[in-house]
Amino acid sequence: MLLALLSLFGCVPGQYADVPAVTRVSAAEIVGTWQCVDGTEITMRADGTAVVKQLDGQEFDFDEQWRMSGTGTWELTDRPMGWSDGQHVSLSVTRRTSSTWREATGAADETVSGDGSREPAPGSYRWTLELERREGGLALYFFFSDPDSRNTYVLEKAR
């Protein structure tokens, strides 16, 4: 009985609810330029190459406050990955061209070392982008900070 009660302690209803699966997306729907806040832009080309400008890190890496620009590859896949069933976009920056930082949000900035310097974005990085069908069309997103809190970083296709 005590074990059953302990297993329920701290559970939040719906916290682990399924993320809706999106299927039947074509690579042609992914090709193009996707944008988010503060100058974030991802251009995915038909040949599988990608150019990334000012993209933040995924999940807990977002808390490091770095923003990355670079070149790499993308792939639309049905392989199990990410937080939902269905299709995903695997985006990899294989060559970072620049690294900047977001402004602090008022909380203690743990990414600043004792001498005031910050660690740059990694030289390469991989994102798993979830897909969502919305009224305005397909959207790409990933979770940032603690993924259990379901904060989403949404990219919409440029018109």
Side-chain angles (χ1 to χ4, degrees):
M1 175 75 170
L2 180 59
L3 184 59
L5 289 173
L6 287 176
S7 67
L8 294 175
F9 183 77
C11 292
V12 177
Q15 179 177 6
Y16 297 103
D18 288 337
V19 176
V22 175
T23 58
R24 291 181 271 174
V25 173
S26 70
E29 290 179 88
I30 304 300
V31 171
T33 299
W34 298 81
Q35 298 173 326
C36 191
V37 297
D38 296 331
T40 297
E41 190 172 281
I42 303 169
T43 300
M44 293 189 242
R45 299 183 179 126
D47 66 0
T49 61
V51 176
V52 171
K53 293 181 185 173
Q54 303 302 316
L55 186 57
D56 295 282
Q58 184 171 344
E59 296 177 0
F60 289 110
D61 291 336
F62 180 86
D63 298 336
E64 298 296 317
Q65 298 183 338
W66 53 257
R67 307 191 82 211
M68 174 188 282
S69 296
T71 58
T73 61
W74 71 273
E75 175 189 21
L76 177 65
T77 180
D78 294 326
R79 286 190 312 270
M81 59 191 323
W83 290 89
S84 66
D85 295 328
Q87 293 175 289
H88 294 84
V89 173
S90 177
L91 173 66
S92 296
V93 167
T94 54
R95 188 175 77 79
R96 182 188 75 207
T97 56
S98 69
S99 177
T100 61
W101 295 269
R102 286 190 321 278
E103 293 298 317
T105 59
D109 184 1
E110 297 176 16
T111 63
V112 176
S113 68
D115 64 359
S117 64
R118 294 184 181 186
E119 290 295 318
S124 62
Y125 193 82
R126 179 183 305 258
W127 291 263
T128 298
L129 304 175
E130 310 285 340
L131 301 138
E132 181 180 7
R133 290 228 182 256
R134 296 178 165 195
E135 231 176 82
L138 189 66
L140 305 177
Y141 70 95
F142 61 83
F143 295 116
F144 66 89
S145 290
D146 183 351
D148 289 336
S149 64
R150 301 293 170 116
N151 295 315
T152 53
Y153 191 103
V154 179
L155 297 142
E156 295 180 333
K157 203 165 195 181
R159 306 226 180 265

